[in-house]
Amino acid sequence: MGASLTPKLQKICDMIGLENGHDKTHMQVVGEVFNIHIDKLGRIYPSDHSRIMRIVVILSDWEPGHFYQYGNHVYTHWKAGEGFIWSSDVLHLSMNGGMKNKYSLQISGLYNK
């Protein structure tokens, strides 16, 4: 589990209950772009790629210029506390072209089928 998580954020991760959790908060600063990519979580979870789950809980309200893209879906206009789940093999990107930092909780781990 992520050492930097507040007790409330850690409780969220614990309630979700993914095995071998790799959880962290993330601040995407103004102007920062994570170009389209696929996460390489196989190095963290080499035994069973098919059980890897990624969850993002957004910790700040949407601002103009903030967005995520998963495959062909662009995600905007969220409220703090909303989130999404996706497979670790989906192309995705994140951008902060706005005027305020963007905050999220990133939860990764193995789920039971």
Side-chain angles (χ1 to χ4, degrees):
M1 300 289 172
S4 65
L5 297 181
T6 66
K8 285 184 179 182
L9 294 179
Q10 186 62 59
K11 185 174 181 177
I12 291 169
C13 296
D14 293 344
M15 288 173 58
I16 291 170
L18 296 179
E19 292 177 32
N20 199 11
H22 183 76
D23 313 320
K24 64 182 180 176
T25 56
H26 182 260
M27 176 180 69
Q28 190 171 20
V29 298
V30 172
E32 189 171 36
V33 175
F34 293 104
N35 292 325
I36 198 159
H37 65 283
I38 294 176
D39 294 326
K40 296 178 181 172
L41 294 176
R43 61 190 159 163
I44 298 172
Y45 307 108
S47 61
D48 192 351
H49 295 208
S50 68
R51 293 180 52 216
I52 299 172
M53 179 178 282
R54 300 294 314 271
I55 300 170
V56 170
V57 178
I58 302 171
L59 302 176
S60 54
D61 288 342
W62 176 82
E63 296 282 336
H66 293 183
F67 75 90
Y68 293 93
Q69 181 173 336
Y70 294 90
N72 294 326
H73 178 74
V74 176
Y75 186 54
T76 62
H77 294 80
W78 57 77
K79 294 287 185 191
E82 293 181 14
F84 39 91
I85 300 170
W86 81 97
S87 170
S88 64
D89 61 351
V90 172
L91 281 168
H92 60 280
L93 64 95
S94 178
M95 179 177 174
N96 182 353
M99 299 297 287
K100 294 183 180 179
N101 292 336
K102 178 168 61 107
Y103 299 90
S104 63
L105 172 62
Q106 300 178 354
I107 305 166
S108 302
L110 301 173
Y111 69 95
N112 290 319
K113 290 183 179 183

